[in-house]
């Protein structure tokens, strides 16, 4: 009876239809479907077609943005959803991903990318306002249940959930000694921040 009620409510909602969250065997976002934003890409986050992906930033330069990211994260944690958080300030590739995924005037024009940005099963769901609105209306939990996203508590003992650790080769300096003369060169293993993917949670987020 409860499933039928949930099915009816989702069908009545023009923005959040059942097809918006296909099952785990589906390809995710469908180009002919309109979402909660006016402009979205038909691309999906790499490796995120069947999962929940949240793009955030840990930089505190803009307090409002930092707090919005914390809010979106807290909402998902309340629902005990296993989600892939991608901090654009820690890894430039995440920033490039988001620029390509969210087609908006701000992102496409080379300006600031909109964070937080939530993707569910490959579909762009919006920012903190949409997430909070759905949660307060009691709809977010039903949508996540319908989507059959993975539930549980995620906590990595190696990186504390950051997904990155200081490079083991250069200790985070991005510099190593190369050649017979021992000249300083760019470390080939780490990113621009001297970080490498956490080996303990790499299998969870390849």
């Amino acid at each position: 009876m409860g499933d039928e009620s949930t099915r009816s409510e989702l069908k009545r909602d023009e923005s959040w239809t059942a097809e918006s969250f296909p099952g785990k065997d589906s390809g995710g976002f469908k180009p002919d479907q309109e979402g909660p934003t006016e402009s979205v890409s038909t691309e999906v986050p790499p490796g995120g077609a069947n999962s929940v992906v949240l793009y955030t930033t840990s930089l505190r330069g803009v307090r409002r943005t930092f707090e919005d990211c914390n809010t979106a994260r807290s909402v998902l944690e309340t629902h005990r959803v296993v989600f892939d958080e991608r901090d654009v300030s820690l890894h430039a590739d995440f920033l490039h991903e988001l620029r390509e995924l969210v087609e908006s005037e701000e992102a496409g024009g080379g300006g600031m990318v909109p964070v937080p940005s939530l993707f569910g099963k490959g579909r762009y769901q919006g920012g903190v306002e949409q997430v909070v609105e759905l949660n307060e209306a009691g709809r977010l939990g039903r949508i996540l249940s319908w989507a059959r996203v993975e539930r549980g508590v995620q906590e990595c003992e190696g990186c504390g959930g950051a997904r990155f650790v200081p490079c083991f080769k250069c200790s985070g300096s991005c510099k190593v000694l190369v050649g017979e003369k021992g000249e300083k060169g760019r470390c080939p293993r780490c990113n621009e921040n001297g970080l490498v993917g956490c080996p303990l949670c790499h299998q969870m987020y390849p």
Side-chain angles (χ1 to χ4, degrees):
M1 187 66 178
D3 292 340
E4 292 297 329
S5 176
T6 299
R7 189 189 303 269
S8 298
E9 290 186 25
L10 288 172
K11 285 184 176 180
R12 286 197 299 267
D13 193 308
E14 297 180 354
S15 299
W16 299 88
T17 61
E19 291 79 5
S20 300
F21 291 92
K24 291 185 177 181
D25 296 332
S26 176
F29 176 77
K30 295 182 179 180
D32 58 341
Q33 295 173 340
E34 295 182 358
T37 58
E38 294 181 356
S39 177
V40 296
S41 173
T42 58
E43 300 295 327
V44 302
N50 293 316
S51 62
V52 176
V53 178
L54 178 66
Y55 287 91
T56 65
T57 179
S58 57
L59 292 181
R60 300 170 180 260
V62 181
R63 182 177 178 181
R64 174 64 182 275
T65 301
F66 177 75
E67 292 178 347
D68 285 348
C69 291
N70 288 340
T71 298
R73 183 189 308 108
S74 296
V75 169
L76 293 179
E77 289 175 345
T78 298
H79 289 276
R80 298 176 64 83
V81 174
V82 175
F83 60 96
D84 180 0
E85 182 174 355
R86 304 185 181 183
D87 190 333
V88 300
S89 64
L90 291 182
H91 194 45
D93 286 352
F94 293 160
L95 182 64
H96 299 325
E97 285 177 13
L98 188 55
R99 284 189 186 279
E100 294 178 357
L101 289 167
V102 182
E103 298 174 353
S104 64
E105 181 178 352
E106 293 80 11
M112 296 179 62
V113 293
V115 289
S117 286
L118 179 65
F119 290 79
K121 290 297 187 69
R123 181 185 173 118
Y124 179 54
Q125 309 302 345
V128 66
E129 293 183 0
Q130 289 85 358
V131 172
V132 170
E133 180 180 354
L134 287 170
N135 188 54
E136 291 180 346
R139 293 162 53 201
L140 181 60
R142 297 195 295 271
I143 291 172
L144 293 173
S145 295
W146 181 272
R148 294 181 294 172
V149 298
E150 186 178 356
R151 304 277 183 162
V153 179
Q154 53 187 30
E155 184 66 32
C156 177
E157 296 180 357
C159 64
R163 291 186 57 191
F164 292 92
V165 294
C167 179
F168 303 110
K169 185 176 181 64
C170 68
S171 299
S173 68
C174 297
K175 301 294 183 181
V176 292
L177 298 179
V178 297
E180 297 181 356
K181 297 183 179 180
E183 298 179 350
K184 289 185 177 182
R186 178 68 169 84
C187 179
R189 296 186 180 180
C190 60
N191 66 10
E192 69 284 356
N193 293 313
L195 303 174
V196 295
C198 173
L200 295 183
C201 61
H202 178 69
Q203 292 183 346
M204 179 181 297
Y205 304 121

